Amino acid sequence: MTGGKIHDEDISASSQWSESTAARFGRLDLDNSDGDGAWCPDIMSEPDGLKQYLQVDLRSLHFITLVGTQGRHADGMGNEFAQRYRISYSRDGSSWVGWHDRKGRQVIEGNKNAYDVVLKDLEPPIIARYVRFMPVTDHSMIVCMRVELYGCEWLDGLISYSLPDGHQMIYRGIDVYLNDSVYDGASAERLTKGLGQLTDGTWGLDDFLHSHFYGMWPGYDYVGWNNKSFPKGYVEMIFDFDHIRNFTSIKVHCNNMFTRGVSVFRQATCFFRSGSEWESPPVSFSPTVDRASQRARFVTVPLGDRTASTIKCRFHFADLWMLFSEVAFQSGSAVYNTSRSARKQGHPTNIPVDDPTHKVDDSNTRILIGCLVAIIAILMTIIVIIFWRQVWQKMLEKASRRILDDELTARLAFQTQNFSFHNSSLSSEGGSTMNSTYERIFPLCADYQEPSRFVRKLAEFADSMESLDNETTGHRSCKRLAGGPDPPHYAEADIISLQESSDQCSITVNMFDSSMKEFPRHKLSFKEKLGEGQFGEVHLCEAEDMQDFLDADLSEENTESPLLVAVKTLREDANKNARNDFLKEIRIMSCLRDPNIVRLLAVCVDTDPLCMITEYMENGDLNQFLHKLSLPDETTPGYEAGGETTVNYSKLMDMAVQIASGMKYLSSLNFVHRDLATRNCLVGRNCTIKIADFGMSRNLYRGDYYRIQGRAVLPIRWMSWESILLGKFTMASDVWAFGVTLWEILTLCKLQPYAHLSDEQVIENTGEFFRDKGKQVYLTKPSCCPDSVYNELMLSCWRRNAKQRPSFEEIHLCLMESLQKL
Ligand code: AMP
């Protein structure tokens, strides 16, 4: 697939998510520039995945021993992969067989992330022309695959064999099962229309009680029959070929443990058929009965260059049991040295039965060995590359961290001046740094994290430190202050159950020193409970002598003492992750200074419980605030407020302007909020709005978040399509969320966005945004919203192309203008 040997027209699929994720893009290791980097079927609606498949037509029969799978990475844009899949195959394109391993398991463990190749040894191997990869999921989801097949052409031309199934032997109390356990055809009185153990490339051991395969039953490698069940004294096998061939010989791998009543056959008689009749005379051959060696061996039956498309051979018992583990043919259409030499000799019937040189010269054997050696070489190369990459990445990561830490110190100093906050450490020891670590988990799926990307981003980040005007996804100053070189900011979108994070799915980054004054706990007196979040309660408190802790701009406004403040406390039983996230929120908030961002005033972190003291916003969160209000005349924008429980359109627009202003400030820092919504904005005196929630704290709004497989919790109704599908959070995705927040404001938070859609339907709608076929559903225009605001502003926030969405500066300007016109 990767090398292009298989043509596009030979790769097909049950369905495709879009033209850019068609079957032809399902080639391992190719991040196709003209496609979206993998084959992705339509949303998997069938949990067992049997309806969706990627099919490869190899044009002729192949012996396939290994397959590889990979997800859609698309240079970091993709994060879809098949965690499990099945394989089915066909030799004729009409009858299909589901592959299963030697223990009968059909489902194969696939990928754990979108970029690593996962190889699967096919034991038993497949002989097929068509192969289907069928992703398996537990629930409806988008899955993408890239695949590869490893093996070689099946030159034998044998498409099926038919024989009586093997028997059970009881040897000294041990049950020895000699059936053809991997036969893939029909099984009735005889096994018909399939291939199995006799063509799986594995030759049995001398002692048939032992197997090449760990954990399999005694006799596993052999198909064997008991003389007593065959009154005529022979076992008849019929072999069907793809076309008429010129046969030189048949090689049968036989067990010869004569001390246990097992022996090589006494005589083989083969009949040939090219049309409907068996031709005469048959060819007979009697190998020398060997009572000296119990070695298992290939016995070559010369076939005298007879032409046929079907061969029937009768193998006569020489002892109580006859055990075969492999059958191979040498025929004219497959050019083998041995067959040629046999033909030249002209004595096909006199070739010694057990001539060791025949084994050495066996061309089928050579091909098989060649295949195996090639596969081992490929595997070794892959292992070496993976190992080398890991070592190299570790070195890079270390180096990048060192560079970043150094640069960070300088940057931090610069930021500190800018924000004029005091650099007194959280640590009780003056000036010492608090070098704690925390685990970061990325959204959508924890597996989204990719070490190589992380290292690359580190490097990119280091490069871009000089220019803060970069308009990519980044966070700059606060991002670094918050704790790491790549998005350090947790919004609620990230994860809810941090406790469940697996090692594989998380990375540890250094926390950076952050500064916030420690407030003496005894100077706080509890007044009332304001609310409750994920990590604890928020209390209204009186704080004595708070003025000493206020920045100049705040101390002018807040002269009263004691001062009313909001104190957010971390629950005492919070685990390490919650604690780290709480500290992280402190670090983020400690560097934000804007009239429309909730200000962190001081902290109590020297002892437990950890507390952050923020300015008190009398009117609580914007969602609840608006929910209680109504519009006196919903059809006319610009009317005046009619009473305490009413709010007018211009007031709503004023709120939107304030949020846009706060977001403009965050965007000037290249800081991505990730969870902008009315529930995360607080309302103060005179309807002052401030953006809050830079960490993870929610309880009341559980329903606004979508849980993926019980782990990640995402505010999908506020998220852009690329955040949901690609895990990409940028300023442009914050703009999308702003559009939804504006819609909430103008509908007075009476309904959830897309209230008529279930969570799954919201995700499907996201897919429509991605496909861009005009089937996507937009939030409808709120009744008080003028057409111009809806069409020019709100809808522009939800443009598919993130680059075409307005910036917060533009949004702020536009809202200001429309407010002034009122
Ligand atoms: P949080 O844990 O930040 O989501 O806060 C939970 C609830 O406490 C919010 O929904 C608000 O109602 C209330 N709250 C949080 N911070 C403040 C504040 N600074 N002033 C007033 N109420 C607040």
Side-chain angles (χ1 to χ4, degrees):
M1 296 283 274
T2 311
K5 221 171 153 188
I6 298 164
H7 298 143
D8 281 353
E9 61 268 25
D10 294 328
I11 310 169
S12 55
S14 52
S15 71
Q16 61 193 42
W17 169 260
S18 65
E19 189 47 40
S20 55
T21 57
R24 65 179 184 282
F25 299 115
R27 297 175 185 273
L28 198 92
D29 268 339
L30 293 189
D31 268 339
N32 301 281
S33 50
D34 53 339
D36 273 340
W39 162 70
C40 312
D42 218 338
I43 280 201
M44 301 270 301
S45 51
E46 299 286 315
D48 60 7
L50 292 180
K51 293 235 168 99
Q52 300 292 356
Y53 59 80
L54 176 67
Q55 179 176 314
V56 182
D57 177 0
L58 297 165
R59 293 284 175 134
S60 61
L61 290 179
H62 277 69
F63 188 79
I64 303 151
T65 54
L66 184 76
V67 290
T69 57
Q70 212 176 6
R72 188 180 84 89
H73 185 228
D75 280 335
M77 297 288 286
N79 187 31
E80 301 83 14
F81 51 89
Q83 292 182 348
R84 293 174 302 140
Y85 65 98
R86 293 174 194 229
I87 282 182
S88 74
Y89 60 93
S90 170
R91 286 187 270 278
D92 58 8
S94 61
S95 59
W96 289 85
V97 181
W99 178 86
H100 56 79
D101 68 11
R102 293 187 186 275
K103 291 190 172 156
R105 290 171 297 217
Q106 293 202 320
V107 176
I108 301 171
E109 285 304 315
N111 297 89
K112 298 231 177 316
N113 56 47
Y115 41 91
D116 284 330
V117 174
V118 173
L119 295 173
K120 170 70 187 168
D121 251 318
L122 291 182
E123 271 299 345
I126 288 172
I127 296 164
R129 171 176 165 174
Y130 304 91
V131 179
R132 283 178 180 174
F133 292 81
M134 302 183 293
V136 175
T137 62
D138 296 330
H139 54 89
S140 302
M141 64 187 293
I142 302 170
V143 162
C144 300
M145 287 186 97
R146 286 178 282 167
V147 303
E148 185 58 288
L149 299 139
Y150 303 88
C152 50
E153 206 173 346
W154 178 242
L155 296 171
D156 270 34
L158 182 64
I159 50 175
S160 72
Y161 63 73
S162 136
L163 43 66
D165 200 2
H167 297 153
Q168 181 184 346
M169 173 198 285
I170 298 179
Y171 177 73
R172 292 190 178 164
I174 303 169
D175 287 325
V176 185
Y177 296 98
L178 298 165
N179 58 323
D180 193 340
S181 58
V182 300
Y183 192 75
D184 62 10
S187 50
E189 231 173 85
R190 285 172 67 88
L191 304 181
T192 51
K193 296 184 181 161
L195 295 173
Q197 262 178 288
L198 298 189
T199 50
D200 70 353
T202 306
W203 314 320
L205 299 170
D206 294 343
D207 182 350
F208 57 83
L209 295 179
H210 297 144
S211 167
H212 281 287
F213 303 100
Y214 177 75
M216 304 315 293
W217 56 84
Y220 178 79
D221 292 350
Y222 285 95
V223 185
W225 305 267
N226 187 319
N227 193 351
K228 289 182 187 155
S229 305
F230 297 89
K232 291 181 181 166
Y234 60 80
V235 173
E236 188 174 85
M237 298 185 194
I238 299 171
F239 302 93
D240 284 308
F241 293 84
D242 51 357
H243 54 81
I244 297 174
R245 288 169 174 256
N246 197 12
F247 289 95
T248 309
S249 62
I250 168 176
K251 285 170 173 281
V252 185
H253 189 261
C254 309
N255 191 275
N256 196 43
M257 291 216 79
F258 49 82
T259 53
R260 294 181 190 166
V262 180
S263 176
V264 167
F265 54 88
R266 177 173 55 81
Q267 184 190 325
T269 308
C270 295
F271 302 78
F272 302 86
R273 190 174 75 187
S274 300
S276 55
E277 298 290 317
W278 293 108
E279 293 153 14
S280 53
V283 169
S284 284
F285 174 73
S286 300
T288 320
V289 176
D290 179 4
R291 292 278 159 180
S293 164
Q294 302 218 77
R295 220 164 21 90
R297 67 207 58 202
F298 268 105
V299 178
T300 305
V301 178
L303 297 178
D305 282 340
R306 293 285 292 270
T307 50
S309 58
T310 304
I311 298 178
K312 176 168 75 183
C313 289
R314 290 172 180 163
F315 296 96
H316 295 258
F317 287 90
D319 210 328
L320 187 58
W321 288 89
M322 194 160 62
L323 271 56
F324 294 174
S325 74
E326 195 74 9
V327 172
F329 286 86
Q330 294 177 307
S331 63
S333 50
V335 184
Y336 298 133
N337 293 337
T338 46
S339 54
R340 274 205 216 106
S341 60
R343 249 176 274 150
K344 272 181 205 153
Q345 284 168 14
H347 308 292
T349 49
N350 294 330
I351 294 171
V353 173
D354 202 11
D355 182 353
T357 57
H358 276 227
K359 266 190 184 171
V360 175
D361 286 349
D362 186 306
S363 43
N364 270 350
T365 310
R366 276 186 184 178
I367 290 169
L368 282 173
I369 291 171
C371 280
L372 289 173
V373 168
I375 290 160
I376 290 166
I378 291 167
L379 283 174
M380 294 289 284
T381 317
I382 291 167
I383 290 166
V384 168
I385 290 170
I386 290 170
F387 182 72
W388 181 83
R389 268 184 60 178
Q390 278 176 354
V391 170
W392 186 240
Q393 278 169 7
K394 270 192 190 146
M395 283 165 59
L396 259 179
E397 205 171 323
K398 271 188 196 161
S400 307
R401 281 221 181 105
R402 231 176 288 131
I403 294 165
L404 281 170
D405 283 351
D406 293 344
E407 285 203 34
L408 185 86
T409 316
R411 193 82 205 161
L412 211 58
F414 171 66
Q415 289 297 335
T416 309
Q417 282 166 12
N418 261 1
F419 292 117
S420 6
F421 75 85
H422 314 287
N423 196 12
S424 63
S425 170
L426 276 174
S427 159
S428 51
E429 296 297 315
S432 74
T433 8
M434 182 170 148
N435 276 327
S436 60
T437 55
Y438 68 90
E439 287 182 330
R440 166 162 176 73
I441 296 133
F442 274 63
L444 272 181
C445 169
D447 291 329
Y448 184 64
Q449 190 48 251
E450 182 209 358
S452 60
R453 278 184 61 220
F454 178 64
V455 173
R456 199 161 60 233
K457 286 209 166 191
L458 276 168
E460 282 167 14
F461 188 79
D463 289 342
S464 61
M465 278 304 288
E466 296 308 313
S467 63
L468 280 173
D469 57 357
N470 190 329
E471 55 172 48
T472 58
T473 63
H475 319 250
R476 288 293 182 269
S477 46
C478 282
K479 185 166 101 170
R480 287 181 162 236
L481 290 169
D486 203 27
H489 168 57
Y490 278 104
E492 300 188 14
D494 283 353
I495 278 297
I496 181 67
S497 52
L498 285 166
Q499 306 92 302
E500 293 166 30
S501 68
S502 70
D503 292 347
Q504 203 185 18
C505 299
S506 58
I507 56 165
T508 305
V509 293
N510 291 323
M511 291 288 277
F512 301 120
D513 193 5
S514 170
S515 305
M516 191 40 67
K517 281 186 181 174
E518 177 76 20
F519 190 79
R521 231 174 251 276
H522 64 271
K523 292 192 174 180
L524 287 173
S525 51
F526 171 82
K527 298 277 293 175
E528 65 180 74
K529 183 174 153 183
L530 292 172
E532 194 169 348
Q534 180 72 19
F535 296 125
E537 296 184 341
V538 183
H539 295 136
L540 173 65
C541 292
E542 280 180 348
E544 262 177 62
D545 303 329
M546 185 42 104
Q547 274 69 20
D548 303 344
F549 290 80
L550 300 182
D551 289 341
D553 59 331
L554 286 182
S555 62
E556 279 170 26
E557 290 171 24
N558 300 285
T559 48
E560 68 268 36
S561 183
L563 185 68
L564 283 177
V565 291
V567 179
K568 194 171 184 174
T569 313
L570 179 68
R571 193 178 293 130
E572 290 200 44
D573 61 357
N575 67 11
K576 195 182 119 215
N577 288 321
R579 196 182 164 84
N580 283 333
D581 272 292
F582 193 83
L583 289 170
K584 183 164 51 61
E585 189 173 358
I586 290 178
R587 284 167 171 73
I588 293 166
M589 289 187 73
S590 67
C591 68
L592 302 175
R593 300 280 185 282
D594 185 79
N596 296 111
I597 304 286
V598 168
R599 186 79 68 90
L600 181 67
L601 306 176
V603 293
C604 303
V605 290
D606 274 358
T607 54
D608 280 344
L610 302 183
C611 296
M612 60 172 95
I613 304 169
T614 63
E615 52 186 324
Y616 170 53
M617 303 292 285
E618 280 94 335
N619 290 305
D621 73 67
L622 181 59
N623 189 283
Q624 289 185 61
F625 179 75
L626 287 178
H627 192 75
K628 288 183 234 148
L629 301 177
S630 58
L631 289 161
D633 179 352
E634 297 197 343
T635 52
T636 321
Y639 52 78
E640 289 306 310
E644 266 181 35
T645 54
T646 56
V647 63
N648 62 25
Y649 173 76
S650 61
K651 200 86 210 145
L652 295 177
M653 284 302 270
D654 178 58
M655 292 174 185
V657 167
Q658 293 185 61
I659 297 172
S661 174
M663 290 308 295
K664 193 173 100 175
Y665 166 75
L666 291 183
S667 68
S668 73
L669 303 173
N670 274 320
F671 184 94
V672 181
H673 187 286
R674 298 187 182 209
D675 197 11
L676 180 60
T678 53
R679 64 181 170 275
N680 291 329
C681 296
L682 293 171
V683 188
R685 235 173 282 162
N686 302 324
C687 282
T688 314
I689 311 288
K690 301 199 181 201
I691 299 164
D693 256 303
F694 299 86
M696 302 172 62
S697 45
R698 93 187 61 81
N699 220 356
L700 193 60
Y701 298 102
R702 262 198 306 263
D704 286 347
Y705 295 84
Y706 177 65
R707 190 172 283 268
I708 292 180
Q709 289 174 0
R711 299 179 71 233
V713 174
L714 303 167
I716 51 166
R717 289 163 200 268
W718 283 258
M719 280 165 71
S720 66
W721 71 266
E722 74 274 10
S723 301
I724 294 177
L725 297 183
L726 310 174
K728 239 182 126 180
F729 290 83
T730 63
M731 289 316 317
S733 60
D734 271 0
V735 166
W736 181 295
F738 178 84
V740 182
T741 308
L742 179 60
W743 180 91
E744 284 188 279
I745 293 173
L746 297 180
T747 54
L748 298 186
C749 301
K750 296 288 187 262
L751 283 176
Q752 238 199 352
Y754 311 103
H756 60 295
L757 300 183
S758 65
D759 283 348
E760 284 69 25
Q761 286 170 327
V762 170
I763 292 177
E764 274 171 36
N765 190 38
T766 301
E768 295 301 344
F769 271 101
F770 168 71
R771 277 184 268 217
D772 207 19
K773 296 257 166 72
K775 290 188 188 161
Q776 62 272 40
V777 177
Y778 291 88
L779 289 170
T780 50
K781 186 175 81 63
S783 56
C784 72
C785 180
D787 287 348
S788 57
V789 172
Y790 182 69
N791 294 328
E792 283 154 38
L793 186 62
M794 220 182 271
L795 288 179
S796 70
C797 293
W798 304 324
R799 284 184 184 143
R800 184 187 189 273
N801 186 342
K803 286 186 186 143
Q804 287 172 4
R805 292 175 208 153
S807 65
F808 277 111
E809 204 165 349
E810 287 162 342
I811 291 172
H812 184 245
L813 193 70
C814 172
L815 285 169
M816 290 282 280
E817 280 170 7
S818 90
L819 188 61
Q820 276 158 15
K821 281 186 209 152
L822 292 174

